[in-house]
Amino acid sequence: MSKTIAINAGSSSLKWQLYVMPEETVIAQGIVERIGLNDSIFTIKHGEGQKYEVIKDIENHEIAINMLLEQLTALNIIDSFEEITGAGHRIVAGGEHFKESAIIDDEALKLVDELAEFAPLHNPAEAQVIRVFQKVLPHTLNVGVFDTSFHTTMPAVNYLYSINTEYYEKFGARKYGAHGTSHRYVSERAAEMLGRPIEETKIITCHLGNGASITAVDGGKSIDTSMGFTPLAGLTMGTRSGDIDPSLLQYLMGKLGLTDIKDMINILNKESGLLGLSGVSSDMRDLESSDKESAKLALEIFADRVRKYIGSYVSAMNGVDAIVFTAGIGENDINMRKEIINGLTWFGCEIDEARNDVRGDERVISTDDSKVKVLLIPTDEELMIARDVEALKK
Ligand code: AMP
């Protein structure tokens, strides 16, 4: 039986799911957290609710993967490594080169390394994981599934910043977007739920998690997205500021006595967004249970930015058939979905409170009379990754 592993490697974590393909059955999944730190946590879930967990120091991704392979056989999830015929790796930055998922040979791996300039925290870890796979599973086909690929269909009108075009031509300074695999998955599902060919649909996909982005999907193609050159742009996020006037950086650096722009960017990435606004937490659940005015204001700002992006994408596409909610907040936050849609009645959106009273269940949550359908679609990036590997195996 052919098995494919979908890998999502972060700088200090590694999430994975093992599929039997083409049946798309998940037979095991797991996560390694705190790689490179003390007391790393290694978890595997498999079978019927069985769980394997060990806490020990795991120094790097190579050790994590070797542990994972060892346990897959020790727990009888696979009989031999040869069964894993494909590995799909989520890669954050694919630049303009990777317009779709691609087999990662040595040449492609070199490009992934070069693109680290666009995603210094992610691409190097992902490249390292692919190298480990090449070494320990030499028979396995490695496929890169890029966060940016789905957005390579954006027209220049939307990917160019209003700066000297030489900066784009010489240095690649443009909007690339992110979360593409998720936006692609939910937009395809949305068209299926609408019962129409995707080529004839206009869909706005809202991936609202700790990182958050919104995409305008016209005829199945991303034509604009809220993240920018990096995932720092766009919406208010858990700890990221989203859109901001760049001049403020210079002003604040002066006030804070910072001399290295990296420190300022770090503040915008790690200490801003819901956390910075509320002073309470980056987690929606904490804000919703807090009595603090700052937490309430943070929630209002979050909803406001989402609405404004939706509004601008309705005009960018000159219409919309469906608005989709996905990811941690989009799938689970009943109140936030209501808050957002209740501010969009002018566009013909009407939420059905009973249908909306649900977490993580794929369904229509607008009323039958709503001109625009509002859909709740749990994302499944890993499945998309496994499918892309399967397609390239042929
Ligand atoms: P993600 O990055 O997609 O895992 O989403 C993480 C975010 O989802 C967290 O910051 C939480 O704020 C949010 N979230 C998860 N569960 C709930 C829930 N039941 N209600 C509200 N927000 C939730």
Side-chain angles (χ1 to χ4, degrees), residues 207-211 282-285 288 327-329 332-333 359:
H207 178 110
L208 308 179
N210 193 29
S282 62
D283 193 298
M284 275 293 171
R285 288 163 289 198
E288 280 163 359
I329 299 166
N332 298 300
D333 197 329
R359 295 200 164 94

Side-chain angles (χ1 to χ4, degrees), residues 122-135:
H122 293 94
N123 275 38
E126 288 147 5
Q128 193 203 343
V129 168
I130 295 172
R131 286 203 173 87
V132 177
F133 267 78
Q134 288 178 331
K135 196 161 109 190

Side-chain angles (χ1 to χ4, degrees), residues 204 305-316 344 347:
I204 295 176
R305 302 304 188 265
V306 172
R307 276 190 229 108
K308 282 179 182 157
Y309 263 101
I310 292 176
S312 73
Y313 288 166
V314 173
S315 38
L344 297 170
F347 289 119

Side-chain angles (χ1 to χ4, degrees), residues 70-99:
E70 228 169 76
Q71 283 311 317
L72 286 178
T73 43
L75 296 167
N76 292 321
I77 297 166
I78 56 170
D79 293 325
S80 84
F81 295 165
E82 271 68 42
E83 287 171 37
I84 304 177
T85 52
H89 304 267
R90 177 192 175 199
I91 299 175
V92 166
E96 287 186 324
H97 181 83
F98 293 103
K99 294 191 173 14

Side-chain angles (χ1 to χ4, degrees), residues 253-273:
M253 283 179 73
K255 292 288 174 197
L256 295 169
L258 300 177
T259 49
D260 190 342
I261 185 81
K262 280 195 199 128
D263 294 329
M264 191 65 233
I265 298 292
N266 200 40
I267 291 175
L268 296 182
N269 266 313
K270 306 249 172 77
E271 298 170 22
S272 303

